[in-house]
Amino acid sequence: MPEEHRLDEQIVSQVAQSRLSEELDGAEKIDVDVQTDLLKMFQGQADGVSVAGRGLVMRGIRVQDIKLQTDSVAINPLSVLFGQIELNQPVNTSARVVLTEADINHALTSEFVRSKMPNFELNVDGEIVGLQPQEIQIHLIDNGKMAFTGKVLLTEKGKVRTVGFTAQVCPRTEHKPIILENFNLTQGEGISLEVVVALMQKVKELVNLPYFEFDDVVLRVKNMEVQKSSMTLLVDARLTQIPATEGNF
């Protein structure tokens, strides 16, 4: 009966919401709706999961608003009994995420994000130049564009120097990629033109990556809508495992 089916969903959803709340460092509001019933759950199946939240915080990263919907989910039912959720199959997820400029910049200084920033190598006429990000700040401006300021460490022929830069980009939409409008060096004397060109090419390459991968999560940003001090993202994600506060993201 529909009422009994909905009661099953409510019970499972409350358990899932409680579990997710424990994984978060904080949340102003969170609602979880698991589209399943107890029989399917015991068989390790769910038709989908939706999450709506405001002010979610995890590992020092805050999300202003999020609405998320998964497709069908296959989990290990025994893992739930021991307080964990293990996926038997990867899960596809779509989400609408709102981030504030302040929250983005705070996240960029967090230990978690900094630990995920890789070091890069530039090939400059056959010579390898090391590139290590140091400081990055984003500015969401009222013309619908994004501006960046930052510093990187360049290692060239055994010499290490700090290079400051500014950049402005037009955000990605479903019909066009991110466009790098300008890129300027603000600090770092004596850098060759070849290194500057290679650095610009690397920036273009990074901003136009088709997806980002963080351990068990692959993200693809479909659309970016920028307003003064806030940004709305439409994101597709593929999870091979449920993120947890301990271990992998």
Side-chain angles (χ1 to χ4, degrees), residues 174-190:
E174 296 189 53
H175 306 292
K176 66 179 183 180
I178 292 177
I179 298 174
L180 179 62
E181 288 194 329
N182 62 62
F183 181 87
N184 299 296
L185 296 183
T186 59
Q187 178 183 349
E189 297 180 355

Side-chain angles (χ1 to χ4, degrees), residues 108 113-124 127-136 151-157 159-161 165 183 195 198-209 211-214:
L108 289 173
V113 171
R114 292 181 65 85
S115 71
K116 297 296 181 180
M117 286 186 180
N119 296 331
F120 303 98
E121 291 184 345
L122 309 178
N123 191 323
V124 182
E127 295 284 339
I128 300 301
V129 176
L131 175 64
Q132 182 179 355
Q134 292 295 294
E135 301 175 12
I136 299 176
K151 293 181 181 179
V152 298
L153 288 183
L154 279 182
T155 303
E156 182 182 13
K157 296 179 180 180
K159 295 182 179 180
V160 180
R161 67 183 77 186
F165 69 90
F183 181 87
V195 171
L199 181 57
M200 289 182 63
Q201 287 299 118
K202 176 58 69 173
V203 172
K204 288 183 179 180
E205 175 188 326
L206 293 175
V207 298
N208 282 303
L209 285 174
Y211 61 87
F212 303 92
E213 187 169 356
F214 301 95

Side-chain angles (χ1 to χ4, degrees), residues 23 26 217 233:
E23 296 289 341
V217 182
L233 305 177

Side-chain angles (χ1 to χ4, degrees), residues 13 20 31-35 48-52 67-70:
S13 297
L20 180 57
D31 293 307
V32 179
D33 182 22
V34 181
Q35 294 100 50
V49 178
S50 63
V51 177
K67 291 183 179 179
L68 176 152
Q69 176 67 51
T70 76

Side-chain angles (χ1 to χ4, degrees), residues 36-45 75-78 81:
T36 188
D37 55 45
L38 290 179
L39 178 58
K40 286 183 178 180
M41 198 65 186
F42 285 129
Q43 294 173 338
Q45 300 174 358
I75 65 172
N76 178 356
L78 290 178
L81 298 178

Side-chain angles (χ1 to χ4, degrees), residues 6-247:
R6 188 56 198 166
L7 180 59
D8 287 352
E9 287 190 346
Q10 290 175 355
I11 293 172
V12 174
S13 297
Q14 288 172 1
V15 172
Q17 183 170 313
S18 176
R19 175 63 181 164
L20 180 57
S21 297
E22 291 175 359
E23 296 289 341
L24 297 170
D25 297 326
E28 295 174 19
K29 181 180 180 181
I30 184 168
D31 293 307
V32 179
D33 182 22
V34 181
Q35 294 100 50
T36 188
D37 55 45
L38 290 179
L39 178 58
K40 286 183 178 180
M41 198 65 186
F42 285 129
Q43 294 173 338
Q45 300 174 358
D47 296 325
V49 178
S50 63
V51 177
R54 182 184 307 121
L56 306 186
V57 181
M58 186 175 184
R59 295 195 177 192
I61 300 173
R62 183 180 183 276
V63 175
Q64 178 67 23
D65 286 288
I66 184 170
K67 291 183 179 179
L68 176 152
Q69 176 67 51
T70 76
D71 60 10
S72 59
V73 180
I75 65 172
N76 178 356
L78 290 178
S79 69
V80 179
L81 298 178
F82 294 96
Q84 301 295 326
I85 301 178
E86 298 175 1
L87 295 178
N88 285 336
Q89 296 177 1
V91 131
N92 294 318
T93 302
S94 59
R96 179 182 182 274
V97 182
V98 179
L99 302 166
T100 68
E101 179 181 303
D103 288 337
I104 295 172
N105 287 324
H106 183 269
L108 289 173
T109 64
S110 70
E111 182 178 347
F112 173 71
V113 171
R114 292 181 65 85
S115 71
K116 297 296 181 180
M117 286 186 180
N119 296 331
F120 303 98
E121 291 184 345
L122 309 178
N123 191 323
V124 182
D125 294 336
E127 295 284 339
I128 300 301
V129 176
L131 175 64
Q132 182 179 355
Q134 292 295 294
E135 301 175 12
I136 299 176
Q137 292 281 290
I138 187 172
H139 311 279
L140 305 176
I141 45 188
D142 54 10
N143 61 359
K145 299 179 181 180
M146 297 184 293
F148 297 85
T149 58
K151 293 181 181 179
V152 298
L153 288 183
L154 279 182
T155 303
E156 182 182 13
K157 296 179 180 180
K159 295 182 179 180
V160 180
R161 67 183 77 186
T162 300
V163 176
F165 69 90
T166 63
Q168 182 168 295
V169 304
C170 287
R172 180 186 305 277
T173 71
E174 296 189 53
H175 306 292
K176 66 179 183 180
I178 292 177
I179 298 174
L180 179 62
E181 288 194 329
N182 62 62
F183 181 87
N184 299 296
L185 296 183
T186 59
Q187 178 183 349
E189 297 180 355
I191 297 176
S192 67
L193 178 61
E194 291 78 10
V195 171
V196 174
V197 171
L199 181 57
M200 289 182 63
Q201 287 299 118
K202 176 58 69 173
V203 172
K204 288 183 179 180
E205 175 188 326
L206 293 175
V207 298
N208 282 303
L209 285 174
Y211 61 87
F212 303 92
E213 187 169 356
F214 301 95
D215 299 326
D216 296 319
V217 182
V218 178
L219 297 173
R220 182 174 74 90
V221 178
K222 294 169 53 180
N223 190 74
M224 308 167 72
E225 181 182 342
V226 175
Q227 297 177 326
K228 178 68 174 176
S229 301
S230 71
M231 176 166 55
T232 301
L233 305 177
L234 297 182
V235 179
D236 286 339
R238 185 171 177 83
L239 285 69
T240 57
Q241 204 47 256
I242 299 295
T245 54
E246 298 296 332

